[in-house]
Amino acid sequence: MTISVTLPEGMTTRAIAADDEKDAYCFVQILDELGEDLEGGHFAVQGMSKTGNGYTATVYLNGNETYNFLFWATSGDEKPDDLRNVAYTNGETLAWAGKESAEWSANGISCTLKHVVSRITLTTTTNLSVSGTNPLTITVPTTFNAYNVLNMEPVKTATPSGFTYTFDPITVSGASENAPVQIGHFYALVNNEPQALKLHYKGSLGNSEDQIPNVPLAPDTHVVLKGDVANFGLVSGTITATVANDWTEQEHPFENF
């Protein structure tokens, strides 16, 4: 019998990220109806073979039993030990997961995996230069470092931690409100809940760190942040000057030579 899975063509929530279609490695783990290990080591995670846009694996199981089929795919090739607790590193790693619970039959199993991470893209409406002298970072206050495919959610036994992403050097020109320019993007393993992200662009004026409130982070969601990055964290104020038409007279004696 054949197990087959496919990856999504792109993130369909909020925006499609065309550059997310990366080569991936896909793995499957088979558990019993209750999500427990099968006997005889048959619960071990195994790799799947790439075929076209999907991945396949041939396995032999009892046709009278119901199983939980867990799938995990990433842009890295390291095989996890257990898909109920998959280590994840926030930042550059794109990850997908899927789960099917079904009675095993000659039809096999087919599943479409979804992104388990949120993609965060930063665009600017003003020109700027990001470098070692003028760094740019975004901090996500609550992220997780492991995922449970059986529950289709992050592992929450450990205290969640914040994650700070540092953008690569870039010089942006020609940016405007109507033509924002992308600075970069990263991935984060998060809950389905809004968060206040912290953005810090040091800049030549030493901008202060400030917050972007109520960012709707969620798995399988692409959030595009758009704003005046160059002046973020600075206080906006107005300088005024007036010219008086009335002259103030003042005597200034001098001598003829």
Side-chain angles (χ1 to χ4, degrees), residues 48-59:
M48 302 184 71
S49 300
K50 186 173 179 60
T51 55
N53 285 334
Y55 299 82
T56 62
T58 299
V59 299

Side-chain angles (χ1 to χ4, degrees), residues 214-234:
N214 298 317
V215 179
L217 299 185
D220 203 36
T221 298
H222 179 200
V223 177
V224 179
L225 305 174
K226 170 188 170 184
D228 180 1
V229 177
N231 296 306
F232 196 81
L234 300 178

Side-chain angles (χ1 to χ4, degrees), residues 52-72:
N53 285 334
Y55 299 82
T56 62
T58 299
V59 299
Y60 298 89
L61 296 170
N62 188 330
N64 296 319
E65 298 292 335
T66 297
Y67 300 92
N68 279 289
F69 301 87
L70 312 184
F71 304 96
W72 177 260

Side-chain angles (χ1 to χ4, degrees), residues 10-24:
M11 290 190 178
T12 57
T13 305
R14 297 190 174 272
I16 294 176
D19 61 338
D20 280 339
E21 296 179 12
K22 302 178 180 178
D23 288 338

Side-chain angles (χ1 to χ4, degrees), residues 201-213:
Y201 173 58
K202 183 178 179 181
S204 59
L205 297 176
N207 304 32
S208 300
E209 181 182 77
D210 207 345
Q211 289 191 340
I212 306 173

Side-chain angles (χ1 to χ4, degrees), residues 9 14 38 66 71 94 137 149 161 163 197 212 231 235 242:
E9 295 182 358
R14 297 190 174 272
L38 300 179
T66 297
F71 304 96
L94 186 56
T137 61
V149 182
S161 60
F163 169 72
L197 306 190
I212 306 173
N231 296 306
V235 176
T242 58

Side-chain angles (χ1 to χ4, degrees), residues 8-46:
E9 295 182 358
M11 290 190 178
T12 57
T13 305
R14 297 190 174 272
I16 294 176
D19 61 338
D20 280 339
E21 296 179 12
K22 302 178 180 178
D23 288 338
Y25 296 85
C26 193
F27 306 95
V28 61
Q29 183 176 19
I30 305 172
L31 306 174
D32 68 15
E33 186 175 7
L34 300 177
E36 302 293 337
D37 295 345
L38 300 179
E39 296 181 358
H42 298 293
F43 60 87
V45 177
Q46 59 180 300

